[in-house]
Amino acid sequence: MDFKKFLPWIIGAVVIFGIYSYVKGINNTAVGYEQGINEAWGNVQTSYQRRNDLIGNLVNTVKGAADFEKSTLTAVIEARAKATAVTVDPTNITPEQLTAFNSAQSGVSSSLSRLLVSVERYPELKANANFLKLQDELASTENQILTARTRFNEQVKPYNTHIKTFPNNLFAGMFGFKEKAYFEAVAGAEKPVEVKF
């Protein structure tokens, strides 16, 4: 049996297997990173859902104050409804989707801030144990949201790096992997907050 006759076939098989293994590695690594992003996005949504649930309880507690400003409560309820209407597909997060999501959530944050500031004029609310507990839980939830958003960005970075580096970028597009957007600060967040006494 002449071994030299089969040598080109063996070399060809080794090269094909090497290319297959490399491309499979690119795909499987990207899939793993994408699953991490999906999990991190789920945690972001869970944090925002917790805030939305607390808002309902907070609004009901504040409604008990007979002469509380109804427009402030309405603004919170409407902002919450708008925020829950914005959905983002974690498998295809675009900068536009994330901007819309951020904008809706920032509307909730600003209406909540107005609500909490207006509470200062109601001593019976400031002394209400349920309200104080909800206020503490809300502050804790805001910290959870910040942490979840930060962890989401931490998951996006290695994924984007993996699919954008050469030669991975040649194959990532063929497998349908696209760059993911990062959470960014809401427009105007770089401006200092004006404090009025």
Side-chain angles (χ1 to χ4, degrees):
M1 186 162 146
D2 190 11
F3 180 70
K4 290 182 180 178
K5 210 165 52 174
F6 296 105
L7 190 59
W9 289 101
I10 293 170
I11 291 172
V14 167
V15 168
I16 289 171
F17 181 75
I19 291 171
Y20 166 78
S21 297
Y22 182 74
V23 171
K24 182 178 99 171
I26 290 171
N27 179 67
N28 292 349
T29 302
V31 166
Y33 285 142
E34 195 167 51
Q35 290 305 306
I37 290 171
N38 292 346
E39 178 187 11
W41 181 252
N43 293 337
V44 167
Q45 288 183 310
T46 300
S47 298
Y48 278 115
Q49 183 59 53
R50 176 173 160 71
R51 179 172 76 171
N52 286 336
D53 294 345
L54 286 172
I55 288 171
N57 294 336
L58 192 69
V59 165
N60 288 335
T61 303
V62 170
K63 275 183 184 175
D67 59 340
F68 194 82
E69 296 97 346
K70 301 296 181 230
S71 62
T72 306
L73 289 174
T74 303
V76 171
I77 292 165
E78 287 174 358
R80 178 183 172 210
K82 283 181 190 171
T84 55
V86 176
T87 56
V88 175
D89 175 13
T91 59
N92 187 25
I93 296 174
T94 63
E96 296 78 23
Q97 286 178 324
L98 221 44
T99 299
F101 183 83
N102 253 348
S103 176
Q105 295 300 336
S106 110
V108 174
S109 296
S110 64
S111 64
L112 259 179
S113 295
R114 285 192 299 278
L115 173 75
L116 295 175
V117 165
S118 61
V119 162
E120 291 299 314
R121 294 191 294 269
Y122 297 87
E124 71 278 6
L125 267 177
K126 288 181 2 183
N128 182 317
N130 282 345
F131 179 79
L132 294 175
K133 183 175 183 258
L134 287 167
Q135 201 173 11
D136 284 345
E137 285 185 39
L138 203 52
S140 168
T141 300
E142 292 298 330
N143 287 333
Q144 288 175 5
I145 289 170
L146 174 63
T147 301
R149 287 170 55 137
T150 301
R151 289 187 179 149
F152 174 81
N153 282 349
E154 288 169 355
Q155 292 289 326
V156 169
K157 182 182 178 184
Y159 168 84
N160 282 348
T161 302
H162 178 73
I163 67 163
K164 289 174 74 175
T165 53
F166 181 82
N168 297 0
N169 60 347
L170 300 176
F171 300 103
M174 288 175 17
F175 294 128
F177 295 108
K178 298 177 192 162
E179 183 178 2
K180 306 283 187 194
Y182 289 96
F183 264 110
E184 295 178 358
V186 179
E190 72 283 356
K191 296 175 186 164
V193 176
E194 185 180 340
V195 180
K196 294 180 181 176
F197 293 99

